[in-house]
Amino acid sequence: MAHAGFATTPKPPYYAVIFTAQRTEEDRGYEAMAERMVSLALAQPGCLGAESARGADGLGITVSYWTDLSAIAAWKADAQHLVAQQLGKTRWYDHYELRIARVERAYSGPEGR
Amino acid sequence: MAHAGFATTPKPPYYAVIFTAQRTEEDRGYEAMAERMVSLALAQPGCLGAESARGADGLGITVSYWTDLSAIAAWKADAQHLVAQQLGKTRWYDHYELRIARVERAYSGPEGR
């Protein structure tokens, strides 16, 4: 069953890209670009889904899920994504951490609801 | 340099526990318990840090970082944490996904700010 806001991922192993970022006050075009990048990522070969949350303090976490490292590398090198990455660095993010991880186990719950 | 809200993690490899959860409307004791569990987790042997964000829609992502799988297993079995897990299942979460992943690469930015 699909749950709004959650990625429906297969049995592990697969990969996660964990992107934690603190936004600047600067907003020029951010929302539109963020939405476009999520749509574009989800349409990439090998993308399994994404989950995203941002608090009122501007700290956000987006986790995207991928079949393998080569799919992640192809998305990183996508031309439109490169433009967004550059604007993120110069305009939208005070700080970010990006981690690439291999998902080994997964659980969901609560059971029986 | 430490950045507020970010975990300061060592060079990979290490482990990430990605916990994505949709909150219920039910709030009895949630905030206090959530804060207590973060403090308790950060004090566990093998815990490297944690990052957390929750949006106005109640969807939240918490990623905690650990040295190894045995540290994660010990935290899962912690007595106070077991109580919190049970309340999470019966009271606080409509749905959650928990994924355990091995961090293989990590980057931070933006450079030069």
Side-chain angles (χ1 to χ4, degrees):
Chain A
M1 180 187 159
H3 294 266
F6 289 87
T8 303
T9 42
K11 284 185 70 165
Y14 52 90
Y15 282 83
V17 177
I18 306 163
F19 181 67
T20 304
Q22 178 67 51
R23 288 273 287 107
T24 56
E25 307 265 305
E26 172 69 73
D27 221 332
R28 273 184 299 160
Y30 175 76
E31 286 298 338
M33 180 67 97
E35 280 176 30
R36 197 167 132 209
M37 284 306 117
V38 169
S39 301
L40 202 57
L42 294 176
Q44 296 298 303
C47 186
L48 299 167
E51 296 165 347
S52 198
R54 184 174 304 280
D57 59 356
L59 187 79
I61 301 175
T62 296
V63 189
S64 57
Y65 300 99
W66 301 84
T67 52
D68 55 71
L69 290 172
S70 64
I72 295 169
W75 169 233
K76 186 177 192 305
D78 174 273
Q80 292 182 70
H81 188 202
L82 286 172
V83 172
Q85 288 172 54
Q86 192 53 38
L87 286 168
K89 287 181 186 179
T90 57
R91 183 185 290 182
W92 289 318
Y93 297 124
D94 266 335
H95 186 71
Y96 64 80
E97 300 283 339
L98 188 147
R99 298 174 176 96
I100 299 176
R102 183 177 186 270
V103 178
E104 299 185 346
R105 305 181 194 180
Y107 310 89
S108 61
E111 297 79 6
R113 272 218 183 143
Chain B
M1 181 189 158
H3 294 266
F6 289 87
T8 303
T9 42
K11 285 185 68 166
Y14 52 89
Y15 282 83
V17 177
I18 306 163
F19 181 66
T20 304
Q22 178 66 51
R23 289 273 287 108
T24 56
E25 307 265 304
E26 173 69 74
D27 220 332
R28 273 184 298 161
Y30 175 75
E31 287 299 338
M33 181 67 96
E35 280 176 32
R36 197 167 132 209
M37 285 306 116
V38 170
S39 301
L40 202 56
L42 294 176
Q44 295 299 302
C47 186
L48 299 167
E51 296 165 347
S52 197
R54 184 174 305 281
D57 59 357
L59 188 79
I61 302 176
T62 296
V63 189
S64 56
Y65 301 98
W66 302 84
T67 51
D68 55 70
L69 290 173
S70 64
I72 295 169
W75 169 233
K76 185 177 194 304
D78 174 273
Q80 293 183 71
H81 189 201
L82 286 172
V83 172
Q85 288 171 55
Q86 192 54 38
L87 286 167
K89 286 181 185 178
T90 57
R91 183 184 291 182
W92 289 318
Y93 296 124
D94 266 336
H95 186 70
Y96 64 81
E97 300 283 339
L98 189 146
R99 298 174 176 97
I100 299 177
R102 183 178 185 271
V103 178
E104 300 185 346
R105 305 181 195 181
Y107 310 88
S108 61
E111 297 80 5
R113 272 218 182 146

